[in-house]
Amino acid sequence: MKRPVYLDNAATSFPKPRAVIKAIQNALENIGGSPGRGGHKMALTASRTLFSARMAIAELLGLKNPERIVFTKNATEGMNIALKGLLREMDNVAISHLEHNSVIRPLKSLEESRGIGALHAPADRYGLPDPARIPDVSALVTTGASNVTGAVADIRSLGKRFGNKKTLLIVDAAQTAGSIPFDTAGVDALICAGHKGLLGPQGTGFVWFAEGVDPIPLIEGGTGSESASDHLPSYWPDRFEAGTPNTPGIAGLKAGVEYIARRGIEAIREKEKVLCAMIIERLANDSSIILYPPFDLSARASLVTFNIKGEDPSEVAEKFSRQGIALRAGLHCAPSAHRFLGTFPEGAVRVSPGPTTTKTDIKSFFTALDSILKNR
Amino acid sequence: MSIKGELIAVFESTHETMRAERAFKERRIKVRAIMKPRVISSSCQMALSLPDEKHASAVAVISDEALRFVGFFRKSKDGQWTPEL
């Protein structure tokens, strides 16, 4: 069966580099043991796999204290650890207009259980927090880049504004880690998916906390350490990683991170910008298309969101699917962003190139688009 | 398998043990990761066995890398593990 042209990298990247597939296969065939549990060679190799994955991630993203990288099954779990572990009774939180349900839903739950108040931070024209106008709050939660519009937050300015201040800066880097270089200075908690820009398999992700930012663990259980105690160890990462981790997945994530390090985030970013420029140029010049901002390539992640006038976005995505083009329509688990964009509740169509997308893939998308528009 | 007279270094956690293992190898100190003897009170299950003559070098690495270190332990001829000061 011919593989579709995959343009849904904002959901999960595909195809993965061969090195990622090989690393997962190697872990399943040869590592076997459970990290931190037992001293036999396979358990040791598993421990080294997690250790070296943490080190590789820390180096790629410029994170201090790699032991403060907590592996999770996705960015959503990381965000839950951050929000539920750090926010206290009656805290007030400012969020961007573009947050994913991984932020909205935990905050709603915390509003009901702990009386936490959440409000939209004063925003720039793209719905992102304006560093100069953030009120005095317990925490500011912002996406690094919106999964709906692609708008990229100014994390550097936010870090300068909130670094070492009492307001926690919590950044959802699901759409930026591995894809867009960014400065983590001043960031208190960084949440990343492993299976998007970092090219690991699904079921991987992590959250990193800065020195002195110590959340309450979300789950308790066996860690392979301090087993005689009824309590979790006090030290990182064990305190936050109860239960057997996804060693094969993390081996794949490590290979993905190393692949990106070899290619360079800047080089990937530039390549994806070229592809997005092609898409924007084609869509912007078509009167039957509604193209959503930002239009400045440096202000957007590798995704372009649009609608065909008078067409249901889900039906448009279905038409693309029939023509062998994989992209995503709907609300993208971010209804707030679509409200801001004016596309709620029907949503929009999102096309998202990745590190392995080619110009030929984009031309195939254009061919399919031409056909869809012609046959309306 | 531990042998009599063996010297081991114990760290706070598995992560820290792995960090130490890497740091020692970078300084050409040959170590071997082993299961920590149960009688040594530490949260980590692992320990690093190292040659006697590398004791001083290992102390320097632990200091340079700010490793979270529990201590050195030596196995005596009667099989008892005692802290190495």
Side-chain angles (χ1 to χ4, degrees):
Chain A
M1 191 179 86
K2 190 183 172 193
R3 197 160 76 187
V5 172
Y6 188 81
L7 295 172
D8 195 14
N9 288 274
T12 193
S13 54
F14 182 85
K16 307 295 182 187
R18 286 299 306 171
V20 172
I21 297 163
K22 281 185 177 178
I24 296 166
Q25 186 173 4
N26 178 59
L28 289 168
E29 287 183 347
N30 300 313
I31 296 180
S34 187
R37 291 144 173 96
H40 56 80
K41 284 186 178 176
M42 289 162 80
L44 277 171
T45 305
S47 293
R48 290 189 185 108
T49 300
L50 265 63
F51 171 78
S52 55
R54 267 185 254 275
M55 302 303 276
I57 290 166
E59 187 169 344
L60 183 76
L61 301 181
L63 303 176
K64 293 177 182 170
N65 304 311
E67 74 278 9
R68 285 179 159 260
I69 293 169
V70 175
F71 287 119
T72 60
K73 64 177 181 286
N74 45 44
T76 295
E77 185 183 359
M79 186 58 79
N80 271 263
I81 291 171
L83 296 177
K84 293 175 180 172
L86 292 173
L87 298 177
R88 306 286 179 260
E89 295 280 336
M90 307 308 286
D91 272 352
N92 53 350
V93 182
I95 63 173
S96 86
H97 286 265
L98 306 179
E99 294 312 307
H100 190 273
N101 274 340
S102 62
V103 173
I104 302 294
R105 288 178 174 173
L107 284 179
K108 175 56 76 176
S109 166
L110 288 167
E111 183 183 307
E112 292 163 1
S113 62
R114 298 185 199 168
I116 281 165
L119 53 88
H120 281 130
D124 63 15
R125 60 187 164 149
Y126 299 135
L128 293 163
D130 180 346
R133 296 190 294 140
I134 309 297
D136 188 19
V137 288
S138 312
L140 171 67
V141 185
T142 183
T143 183
S146 166
N147 71 315
V148 172
T149 68
V152 178
D154 184 358
I155 301 301
R156 178 188 286 264
S157 294
L158 290 169
K160 279 184 183 169
R161 166 82 169 76
F162 294 108
N164 303 316
K165 300 281 186 352
K166 64 176 183 178
T167 297
L168 292 168
L169 176 56
I170 300 172
V171 176
D172 172 3
Q175 295 296 334
T176 50
S179 306
I180 301 176
F182 58 95
D183 191 346
T184 54
V187 174
D188 292 295
L190 184 76
I191 293 92
C192 298
H195 62 97
K196 298 182 193 254
L198 294 174
L199 303 177
Q202 293 177 31
T204 60
F206 59 89
V207 53
W208 169 86
F209 294 95
E211 187 79 38
V213 180
D214 297 310
I216 297 166
L218 189 63
I219 60 167
E220 288 95 2
T223 58
S225 50
E226 299 205 20
S227 296
S229 171
D230 289 343
H231 299 282
L232 284 166
S234 59
Y235 48 81
W236 301 72
D238 298 36
R239 183 165 177 76
F240 301 93
E241 290 186 350
T244 302
N246 177 7
T247 305
I250 293 167
L253 172 57
K254 172 177 172 274
V257 167
E258 289 169 344
Y259 172 90
I260 294 162
R262 282 193 298 275
R263 278 188 61 177
I265 294 177
E266 285 283 4
I268 290 170
R269 172 76 168 140
E270 289 309 310
K271 184 202 165 183
E272 291 178 349
K273 272 183 177 177
V274 169
L275 300 176
C276 284
M278 286 174 67
I279 298 167
I280 289 172
E281 186 181 357
R282 167 67 184 84
L283 299 182
N285 292 318
D286 194 318
S287 60
S288 56
I289 301 284
I290 305 166
L291 181 62
Y292 298 103
F295 304 117
D296 175 4
L297 287 168
S298 62
R300 73 182 308 147
S302 182
L303 62 92
V304 179
T305 304
F306 69 97
N307 270 316
I308 297 176
K309 287 178 183 171
E311 299 262 350
D312 179 284
S314 297
E315 290 182 26
V316 171
E318 173 59 24
K319 288 175 185 174
F320 273 108
S321 180
R322 284 182 201 156
Q323 302 217 30
I325 308 292
L327 38 69
R328 184 168 172 198
L331 293 176
H332 310 93
C333 296
S336 173
H338 280 283
R339 285 191 183 95
F340 184 82
L341 208 57
T343 49
F344 184 86
E346 68 277 7
V349 183
R350 181 185 71 190
V351 52
S352 52
T356 54
T357 305
T358 63
K359 287 182 179 176
T360 303
D361 292 333
I362 303 302
K363 287 173 186 167
S364 298
F365 164 70
F366 293 160
T367 303
L369 177 64
D370 289 342
S371 171
I372 290 166
L373 293 174
K374 188 179 168 187
N375 294 304
R376 291 173 78 193
Chain B
M1 180 67 74
S2 297
I3 56 170
K4 285 189 176 179
E6 184 175 8
L7 180 68
I8 64 171
V10 177
F11 298 86
E12 180 190 76
S13 65
T14 301
H15 177 86
E16 210 61 10
T17 306
M18 298 288 116
R19 197 158 82 86
E21 182 184 54
R22 193 183 67 159
F24 286 150
K25 283 182 178 173
E26 283 173 358
R27 305 279 190 95
R28 299 185 185 282
I29 300 173
K30 196 172 178 183
V31 295
R32 188 165 55 92
I34 63 165
M35 284 287 289
K36 177 185 66 66
R38 190 187 58 80
V39 293
I40 297 174
S41 178
S42 159
S43 55
C44 182
Q45 286 192 329
M46 306 302 307
L48 296 178
S49 172
L50 67 159
D52 249 352
E53 67 274 17
K54 295 293 183 184
H55 187 181
S57 307
V59 169
V61 171
I62 290 164
S63 172
D64 291 350
E65 299 293 325
L67 292 163
R68 295 186 179 93
F69 181 55
V70 174
F72 287 108
F73 296 85
R74 186 181 295 280
K75 195 174 191 180
S76 63
K77 286 183 180 175
D78 61 1
Q80 299 298 308
W81 286 95
T82 53
E84 179 85 357
L85 301 174

